[in-house]
Amino acid sequence: MRLLCFFIAFCWFNTAAAADFQAERKKVEADPDKAINQLSTLAAPSAEQWLLLSHGYMKLHNKDGALSAVDKALDLGLTPSLQIEALQHKALVYGIMFRDSKTAIKVLKQAEKALQSYHENNKPALQTSIYESFAQGYNQRGDITSALKYAELSVAIATEHKLPKAELQSRLIAGRLALQQNNFSMAQQHLSRALELAQQSDDQASLGSIHLRLGMAYDKLELYQLAADHLHQAEQFLQMPDRRTQLVTVLLTQIDVWLSAGDLARAEAVLQKARALLQQLKDPYLTAQLSFSEAQLSLARHQPEAAEQQLLKAAQLFQQLGNRSMQHETSITLTEVALQQQQLEKARAYLPADLQVDTLPVFLQHKYWDVLSRIHANSGQWQAAYQTALSANKARFELQADQQQQRLDQLAKGLKLQQQMASLSAQNTVQQYWLWSLLATVIVSWLGVLFFAIRRSLKPKTANTGQVWVKSWTAFSRQLRKDQLRDPSICLIAVQLQHISEFKLVAGEHLLRQSMRNLLEQLACEKLIDSTVHTDVLWLSVSQPDAAWQQRLWLGLSSIQQQLPGQPAFRIWQGQLTALLGQDWQEQDINGLRELVWYSWQQQQANAGELLHFELSASQQVPCSWQAENVRQDINNALALGLLQLRCQPLAHQPV
């Protein structure tokens, strides 16, 4: 009996705490500047206050502050309800602010796992919200099938438990996903219900979203004036600072409508508005979509060369963001552009050779088989052209017959969802399972604390400088991978004498090598983990290089400069491995990172006797595709979008 009373009191406390937190969160989001100023002055903020800070930072578009604050909240420990909400919030920070959908989905899976052992009254609301986030994350990655599964599950839970706000958001997402697959019957079903809910609550932002989706639908149905009317209403509803991302999507859809209607002047005017708005947002996904729209305008103006360059930029960004659907659509469009210019070899190169065509939406399957058929025909391969033309016709027939089949699919999915919901309801009634899950959570938490305590007690190995000239680059890379798994704070530092080829001709290589040995002797400490020389560069792996380490390196190089003839200039490059490569990187990725080193050094030349320090940081993990064929272009795009930041600091004539 006492145990039962304890759990009743515990559950009541969790519910009350969650309600108080939601009220405080609304205050923070209403005036984030004031809230952040107040919370930042606290000597030791609680976990809940760190989570409030994260919401405030997100409202002010401070992604680094939002991520750091939510991590501190999770580290300090939250109630089960707030822990699930914090994990979802962290996923949104990754997905919306960093455009890192892969990491966002990983964090959402942690929240979904935590939900399995959670059985309070607000569980359905948490479920619908998390499943909405899953749908958005998978959509961002171009996995429409997984996105629709979660969107429909979210709709089903919200409908069963009579959660009108959650149902509205879930139906908006499901309607958008249905439109992306040209499933107009499903889109109409979700958007009609969403419009009814939005009108009942007078939700201006949701009304704007619904008009946007309706505009997209009428655009695909080639009813351009109706599409333009709905998009104009969407633009009016979404004139809010926190809805600028949606507003850009409205403008991009307007461009598509006016291009389809043949009104190039209006398309250009809207393009300028979208471009100006994106300069403020710095959103890589929308930037890629804008490049795609610019290419469509160039094609309408019969400028295939300009369109090709704009599509290449879009393709690189979509690849960098991991959006497979848009990546494939862009590649197929590039193939069409090459065919327009009678460039058969280029058309073959642009068309993905290993594409799983059956996994594409039907409209993309039709485009793929159509361009492949034209490639075969232009090459004189008539049998292959005939076979691929048959596949194109089959896809077109499927598009026309799709509406009737979709109605049958909806009935089957509805039955399946009922079975899933019955299973979920049964789980919610098992109190004993909840008690054991709670106990298991406590045990796992203690094991986690013990694991991190043991891990922090491990210290990095001191570098073996005597073997530096023997170790190969491959061995250094492999050891670097192992060390980084043990110590995520490791930085890669590269040091090279500027104009090294000329120096070796004049002074000889032996003098330079001896200087590098002397430098390593001066740097030897527990922070220096490993080192090697490759391509005339001294490569160092260093654990948490602080100001004292930097000064040690600069003084060591300054001392060498005084000893070498002509006091040559040195260049230093520094980057944090986990930020640049992520946690799970391959040995080939480090070769791409070397390209970033060369690229950085090309940006500025050092003067005689100067130390030039280049430092790279990333606003999201894995900002580049390090194994891409044109990794230099990928690096340039990441710098232009702010995914990578390069800082260069000249350190002239350091005192010895």
Side-chain angles (χ1 to χ4, degrees):
M1 189 67 180
R2 288 182 181 178
L3 182 63
L4 179 61
C5 291
F6 166 76
F7 277 115
I8 292 173
F10 179 75
C11 297
W12 178 87
F13 174 77
N14 281 342
T15 305
D20 290 342
F21 177 84
Q22 300 308 327
E24 291 300 317
R25 180 177 62 81
K26 289 179 180 178
K27 291 180 184 178
V28 168
E29 291 178 342
D31 192 352
D33 284 310
K34 179 182 177 182
I36 288 173
N37 288 336
Q38 290 176 345
L39 291 169
S40 299
T41 59
L42 297 176
S46 65
E48 291 78 6
Q49 288 165 336
W50 277 116
L51 185 54
L52 289 171
L53 261 174
S54 183
H55 281 281
Y57 282 129
M58 189 172 184
K59 199 72 176 175
L60 294 176
H61 304 285
N62 183 343
K63 55 187 179 183
D64 294 318
L67 183 59
S68 175
V70 72
D71 278 338
K72 288 179 180 176
L74 288 166
D75 288 340
L76 288 173
L78 295 158
T79 63
S81 176
L82 287 182
Q83 183 195 17
I84 294 169
E85 182 176 330
L87 286 169
Q88 185 193 13
H89 174 69
K90 182 177 178 179
L92 292 176
V93 171
Y94 274 117
I96 296 174
M97 306 189 76
F98 287 89
R99 284 292 179 181
D100 185 357
S101 54
K102 183 178 180 181
T103 305
I105 289 171
K106 286 182 180 178
V107 178
L108 285 173
K109 287 180 179 178
Q110 296 175 26
E112 187 180 36
K113 185 177 180 181
L115 267 174
Q116 294 173 3
S117 57
Y118 184 77
H119 300 281
E120 302 305 321
N121 292 334
N122 64 335
K123 181 174 182 176
L126 288 172
Q127 284 178 311
T128 56
S129 183
I130 286 172
Y131 291 150
E132 284 171 25
S133 299
F134 265 118
Q136 291 171 326
Y138 280 114
N139 181 46
Q140 199 176 90
R141 295 193 63 76
D143 187 352
I144 307 299
T145 303
S146 297
L148 264 174
K149 179 190 78 172
Y150 278 103
E152 290 170 359
L153 188 57
S154 181
V155 168
I157 296 172
T159 304
E160 181 190 355
H161 292 275
K162 295 181 174 56
L163 303 171
K165 289 185 179 180
E167 184 185 351
L168 170 58
Q169 295 305 316
S170 300
R171 289 193 182 275
L172 276 173
I173 295 169
R176 179 180 66 185
L177 294 169
L179 281 175
Q180 289 177 231
Q181 290 198 318
N182 286 351
N183 191 335
F184 299 113
S185 61
M186 185 192 294
Q188 188 273 337
Q189 172 191 342
H190 288 302
L191 292 176
S192 296
R193 175 59 179 161
L195 181 61
E196 179 185 341
L197 291 167
Q199 288 171 339
Q200 288 174 2
S201 59
D202 192 26
D203 188 333
Q204 300 289 303
S206 295
L207 285 169
S209 297
I210 293 167
H211 282 294
L212 167 60
R213 312 303 179 224
L214 290 171
M216 290 176 170
Y218 284 122
D219 178 31
K220 290 189 174 186
L221 292 170
E222 299 182 2
L223 300 171
Y224 301 125
Q225 190 54 55
L226 279 173
D229 291 343
H230 279 288
L231 291 170
H232 178 70
Q233 292 182 68
E235 187 177 356
Q236 301 306 309
F237 277 120
L238 295 171
Q239 294 293 330
M240 308 171 227
D242 59 343
R243 294 285 171 169
R244 290 182 298 173
T245 299
Q246 273 191 300
L247 184 56
V248 173
T249 304
V250 171
L251 297 176
L252 293 173
T253 311
Q254 285 179 343
I255 294 168
D256 187 55
V257 168
W258 294 126
L259 285 173
S260 301
D263 195 334
L264 303 189
R266 283 189 175 180
E268 174 63 36
V270 179
L271 190 68
Q272 295 297 336
K273 289 168 65 176
R275 191 180 288 134
L277 197 53
L278 266 176
Q279 286 179 350
Q280 305 170 23
L281 290 178
K282 304 290 185 186
D283 188 300
Y285 178 71
L286 292 176
T287 301
Q289 288 191 314
L290 178 64
S291 296
F292 191 89
S293 297
E294 289 172 334
Q296 300 302 318
L297 181 57
S298 296
L299 287 173
R301 289 172 171 166
H302 307 291
Q303 299 170 341
E305 295 86 0
E308 184 178 13
Q309 295 305 311
Q310 289 153 347
L311 286 169
L312 283 171
K313 179 181 178 182
Q316 288 164 352
L317 289 171
F318 285 131
Q319 181 184 17
Q320 190 170 326
L321 292 164
N323 191 310
R324 291 170 292 178
S325 178
M326 284 304 302
Q327 193 177 338
H328 296 329
E329 185 170 354
T330 307
S331 297
I332 293 170
T333 308
L334 273 166
T335 306
E336 291 178 329
V337 172
L339 282 174
Q340 287 182 18
Q341 301 177 80
Q342 299 297 314
Q343 297 174 337
L344 279 180
E345 292 305 316
K346 187 179 282 189
R348 289 183 185 276
Y350 283 143
L351 198 63
D354 57 346
L355 185 62
Q356 295 180 342
V357 185
D358 293 341
T359 64
L360 297 176
V362 180
F363 79 95
L364 265 187
Q365 291 183 35
H366 173 254
K367 291 180 70 174
Y368 174 85
W369 291 122
D370 180 61
V371 296
L372 185 57
S373 176
R374 283 186 279 154
I375 289 174
H376 289 321
N378 288 332
S379 304
Q381 300 172 342
W382 305 113
Q383 183 63 29
Y386 174 72
Q387 293 296 332
T388 48
L390 286 178
S391 298
N393 287 330
K394 179 184 176 183
R396 184 167 62 245
F397 176 78
E398 287 182 23
L399 279 173
Q400 295 169 349
D402 204 34
Q403 290 298 307
Q404 294 180 0
Q405 185 61 45
Q406 286 164 7
R407 295 181 187 276
L408 295 175
D409 290 343
Q410 277 296 100
L411 291 174
K413 289 176 182 176
L415 182 59
K416 185 177 179 181
L417 282 174
Q418 287 180 3
Q419 294 171 345
Q420 290 174 334
M421 292 312 305
S423 175
L424 284 172
S425 298
Q427 290 176 7
N428 290 339
T429 62
V430 184
Q431 185 180 25
Q432 190 66 32
Y433 172 77
W434 175 75
L435 293 174
W436 282 109
S437 298
L438 181 63
L439 179 61
T441 302
V442 173
I443 294 172
V444 169
S445 299
W446 277 108
L447 288 175
V449 171
L450 181 61
F451 169 78
F452 282 108
I454 295 172
R455 181 175 174 180
R456 294 180 82 179
S457 68
L458 297 176
K459 292 187 177 180
K461 297 179 290 184
T462 304
N464 184 357
T465 57
Q467 298 297 317
V468 66
W469 312 117
V470 178
K471 178 171 287 188
S472 67
W473 172 257
T474 302
F476 176 77
S477 301
R478 288 175 181 169
Q479 186 61 45
L480 189 62
R481 178 77 185 97
K482 295 176 183 176
D483 291 336
Q484 190 243 359
L485 288 173
R486 188 186 69 251
D487 182 2
S489 69
I490 286 179
C491 282
L492 182 66
I493 295 178
V495 180
Q496 188 185 52
L497 186 147
Q498 189 170 279
H499 306 307
I500 190 166
S501 299
E502 293 87 336
F503 179 87
K504 288 196 294 186
L505 285 173
V506 175
E509 187 170 351
H510 67 283
L511 182 59
L512 182 63
R513 294 263 171 153
Q514 183 59 50
S515 299
M516 289 297 102
R517 287 192 179 92
N518 294 339
L519 176 63
L520 282 174
E521 289 176 2
Q522 296 179 54
L523 296 178
C525 64
E526 67 174 11
K527 285 188 174 294
L528 180 60
I529 299 174
D530 204 0
S531 58
T532 191
V533 169
H534 182 66
T535 58
D536 289 324
V537 176
L538 175 62
W539 301 90
L540 310 170
S541 61
V542 182
S543 175
Q544 296 180 329
D546 52 16
W549 162 265
Q550 302 281 15
Q551 189 69 10
R552 189 175 192 151
L553 176 60
W554 297 341
L555 290 175
L557 285 172
S558 295
S559 174
I560 290 173
Q561 280 180 325
Q562 303 299 321
Q563 299 168 15
L564 294 177
Q567 293 191 9
F570 277 93
R571 299 178 294 196
I572 309 163
W573 186 95
Q574 179 176 325
Q576 210 266 338
L577 276 180
T578 302
L580 295 172
L581 300 182
Q583 293 283 359
D584 186 21
W585 54 273
Q586 303 174 13
E587 291 178 20
Q588 297 92 328
D589 291 336
I590 202 74
N591 295 325
L593 190 60
R594 283 193 305 168
E595 289 295 324
L596 179 57
V597 176
W598 313 136
Y599 182 94
S600 304
W601 282 342
Q602 289 172 0
Q603 304 311 303
Q604 186 172 336
Q605 293 291 307
N607 299 319
E610 188 175 55
L611 303 179
L612 203 53
H613 186 267
F614 296 83
E615 186 171 3
L616 263 292
S617 58
S619 59
Q620 72 174 43
Q621 280 197 351
V622 197
C624 294
S625 179
W626 299 110
Q627 297 186 37
E629 291 184 8
N630 192 358
V631 68
R632 284 291 183 100
Q633 184 61 48
D634 216 30
I635 289 168
N636 190 50
N637 288 339
L639 285 165
L641 291 169
L643 304 179
L644 276 174
Q645 294 89 35
L646 173 63
R647 291 184 293 277
C648 181
Q649 180 185 8
L651 309 162
H653 304 294
Q654 294 293 311
V656 181

